[in-house]
Amino acid sequence: MSATPGTVDLLFTGGDIITVDQKAPYIQVGAVAIQGNKIVAIGSEASVKARIKGAKRTIDFSGQVMIPGLVDAHTHLFQSLGKTLGDGLSLLPWLERFMLPLASQVSREQAVIAVRFAALLGALSGTTTVVDQHYAPVDEESIQAVADAYQDVGIRATLARGLFGPMTEGGRRMKCDERMFKYTVQQEMDITRASMKAMADMELVDIWPGPKNVVYADPDLLIGSSELARDFDLSWQVHCSESKFEVEIFESLYGNRPAAWLYEQNILGAHTTLAHGIWFDDEEIRMLGETGTTIIHNPISNQYLASGFMRLEDLLQAGANVALGTDGTAVAGQNMFEAMKAGLMLQRVGRLDPEATTTEMLLTMATRLGGKMLRKNLGVLREGALADLTIVNTRALHHQPCLRPVASLVFFTHGTDVRHVVVNGDLIVENGRSTKLDQEKVVADMIQASRALVEKAGIVDLLEPWQQPRLIS
């Protein structure tokens, strides 16, 4: 039954609001009114209350801070099945010895358990939207089951179906697990198209093509993914220039650098999203800016694997869009607050400049620029925007004294500081607990699935409880 005119579904009052809207970025003692899945009023508490007749439910968030829901622009939720394993390996052996053997053995049931767990973990720490490049398993039935798992949590999700296609020379040079390369290019396109059609009416879930990596994707797979995304007026995502050796392999195979090759194929643009983007040269950065392509910065993963340092300021100045991601629970957890802090610190130390970037910039990347990547009206709190928001308890001891809330949010927030999360107008986290799921059961299912998978994948050697530190006798 629809609400009485002037009566809203949900009203938040009393706290400060960081809108990330350039016109009015900060509101003290503010209020937000939600009707259906949209924000219908935002401003000072007095002004909002004067505009509405009443609310079905009112939540007082005095002493807390509201921000737009966080957008995790690149991750792999199923990887949480191998959480803590692979530590101390660089990217190539990490893939060869750990992740791809693990991924090749994931069952549909295990994938659903992992996605439900990791999506819940993200939601509890303030993430309202996730772009999950899911590549284990990827048959149409599994894609549907994973999409349903997001809905169980209540989170907004883009499932970028991971495409490997046939084995390529790039895949051999990257020592990829051959079991991942089991479809032809045409089969990959057919399954992805069928999934996109079948799930086109899901309100909170989109399906994208997600070729795994420009280095070991067949060129026709990359071109086909771009065309398929355009056909559905959606986007696509691929790993690009994450490590220096990947660029070297690509150049030796195709005679050009990865982003320059994509530019030549006319498949850069607002519908193209490139994960990592560390090793771009000046000309590639110019091309990415010219086309308005999105690059997703994954600072924790980049440090964990020692992959390198993104040229953030150069990309932004060129005109590229840069969003923020966690890049999977296996290396980074699902906490976007950690990603913001890591991104800020990495830029400053990488450029040896304490003014290299700001807390405002990282929060903008984690919200508004993520919404820009998705081409959806989210990541900002303003009238007419989708009602996706997060409320953080800044009264916690570690936030005190909270003199400048935006800085405190980026530097000091723990995931457990998140009190309320709204997605599409639905309160999916209340007082730090899921309103949708039995959290204890989700965790218990995850522990059981993880242990079974590690044994099946034959990577029990990675379970060594103590690795003697090098250089210490």
Side-chain angles (χ1 to χ4, degrees):
M1 190 173 186
S2 61
T4 304
T7 300
V8 299
D9 293 324
L10 189 55
L11 176 66
F12 289 94
T13 64
D16 288 359
I17 303 170
I18 301 175
T19 69
V20 197
D21 182 356
Q22 291 172 304
K23 294 180 180 178
Y26 199 97
I27 301 169
Q28 290 183 306
V29 192
V32 170
I34 296 169
Q35 177 64 35
N37 68 346
K38 299 285 181 63
I39 295 173
V40 294
I42 182 170
S44 69
E45 182 176 345
S47 69
V48 170
K49 285 184 174 179
R51 291 176 56 191
I52 65 172
K53 185 176 293 185
K56 293 180 179 178
R57 184 171 183 196
T58 299
I59 296 177
D60 183 350
F61 70 108
S62 299
Q64 302 177 70
V65 176
M66 177 188 292
I67 60 173
L70 300 171
V71 179
D72 186 349
H74 176 72
T75 190
H76 311 280
L77 297 185
F78 85 88
Q79 289 184 356
S80 54
L81 288 159
K83 193 174 180 179
T84 72
L85 301 184
D87 183 41
L89 301 176
S90 61
L91 180 59
L92 198 57
W94 188 86
L95 289 168
E96 180 187 4
R97 291 179 51 196
F98 165 46
M99 185 44 62
L100 294 185
L102 182 93
S104 71
Q105 298 301 311
V106 177
S107 70
R108 182 181 304 160
E109 181 183 15
Q110 289 167 336
V112 168
I113 288 170
V115 166
R116 190 180 291 124
F117 167 84
L120 174 62
L121 187 62
L124 291 172
S125 57
T127 296
T128 56
T129 301
V130 63
V131 180
D132 179 10
Q133 197 194 50
H134 176 81
Y135 56 93
V138 292
D139 59 277
E140 189 177 344
E141 293 78 10
S142 294
I143 295 300
Q144 179 68 66
V146 168
D148 291 341
Y150 303 130
Q151 295 198 134
D152 292 343
V153 179
I155 202 168
R156 194 183 298 277
T158 291
L159 195 167
R161 179 181 176 267
L163 316 179
F164 280 80
M167 177 56 85
T168 62
E169 179 58 26
R172 282 185 280 272
R173 294 194 192 182
M174 290 281 289
K175 299 182 181 180
C176 292
D177 193 312
E178 292 192 6
R179 290 172 292 185
M180 301 300 294
F181 297 81
K182 57 186 178 182
Y183 296 117
T184 66
V185 170
Q186 189 58 53
Q187 286 172 328
E188 293 280 33
M189 293 295 100
D190 289 345
I191 296 170
T192 306
R193 182 180 291 275
S195 294
M196 294 171 81
K197 283 184 176 179
M199 287 162 249
D201 293 333
M202 295 183 76
E203 186 173 15
L204 294 180
V205 181
D206 290 324
I207 310 298
W208 288 3
K212 186 65 172 62
N213 194 309
V214 293
V215 179
Y216 42 86
D218 185 292
D220 288 340
L221 195 65
L222 298 171
I223 294 168
S225 294
S226 173
E227 292 174 347
L228 187 56
R230 290 180 188 272
D231 288 347
F232 283 81
D233 192 27
L234 291 170
S235 298
W236 65 294
Q237 187 169 105
V238 63
H239 291 75
C240 184
S241 301
E242 179 177 359
S243 66
K244 188 176 182 181
F245 66 80
E246 287 180 354
V247 175
E248 292 169 349
I249 291 172
F250 191 93
E251 278 191 291
S252 71
L253 292 173
Y254 301 105
N256 208 342
R257 297 174 67 86
W261 185 88
L262 295 170
Y263 182 84
E264 286 181 348
Q265 308 306 313
N266 195 33
I267 56 177
L268 293 179
H271 74 302
T272 297
T273 69
L274 306 179
H276 296 285
I278 298 169
W279 293 94
F280 296 135
D281 67 10
D282 291 345
E283 184 61 12
E284 287 179 297
I285 288 174
R286 182 195 65 78
M287 295 170 178
L288 294 163
E290 174 192 320
T291 55
T293 299
T294 290
I295 317 302
I296 303 101
H297 187 27
N298 304 287
I300 300 177
S301 170
N302 296 346
Q303 293 174 83
Y304 180 95
L305 296 168
S307 299
F309 165 74
M310 171 186 266
R311 294 171 60 183
L312 174 62
E313 184 176 12
D314 294 340
L315 284 162
L316 290 169
Q317 287 183 346
N321 183 50
V322 184
L324 193 68
T326 60
D327 196 26
T329 53
V331 296
Q334 293 301 139
N335 190 335
M336 284 290 288
F337 290 101
E338 290 183 2
M340 283 187 273
K341 182 175 181 177
L344 183 141
M345 298 297 195
L346 184 57
Q347 286 299 309
R348 291 181 178 179
V349 74
R351 293 177 56 195
L352 298 178
D353 179 4
E355 297 181 351
T357 191
T358 65
T359 51
E360 286 85 354
M361 185 70 248
L362 268 295
L363 182 59
T364 300
M365 289 166 59
T367 53
R368 184 158 54 86
L369 299 189
K372 181 179 179 181
M373 177 193 76
L374 295 165
R375 292 181 288 155
K376 294 181 184 291
N377 192 5
L378 54 81
V380 61
L381 300 177
R382 61 187 172 208
E383 290 182 18
L386 289 166
D388 292 10
L389 58 87
T390 293
I391 294 177
V392 179
N393 176 23
T394 51
R395 293 175 295 192
L397 180 65
H398 50 274
H399 280 289
Q400 300 308 313
C402 189
L403 303 176
R404 209 170 78 85
V406 66
S408 195
L409 285 169
V410 172
F411 284 123
F412 303 119
T413 299
H414 300 170
T416 51
D417 293 338
V418 172
R419 304 311 299 149
H420 306 298
V421 177
V422 174
V423 177
N424 212 43
D426 186 11
L427 187 65
I428 70 166
V429 174
E430 183 175 3
N431 295 319
R433 298 281 299 182
S434 171
T435 63
K436 303 288 186 180
L437 295 171
D438 179 342
Q439 293 181 197
E440 285 69 29
K441 184 178 187 307
V442 170
V443 174
D445 288 347
M446 183 62 184
I447 293 170
Q448 183 177 7
S450 176
R451 289 173 176 168
L453 178 61
V454 169
E455 184 173 346
K456 181 182 177 184
I459 56 174
V460 293
D461 60 306
L462 298 177
L463 294 173
E464 183 66 36
W466 176 264
Q467 298 176 14
Q468 187 63 28
R470 287 181 292 179
L471 306 180
I472 296 179
S473 58

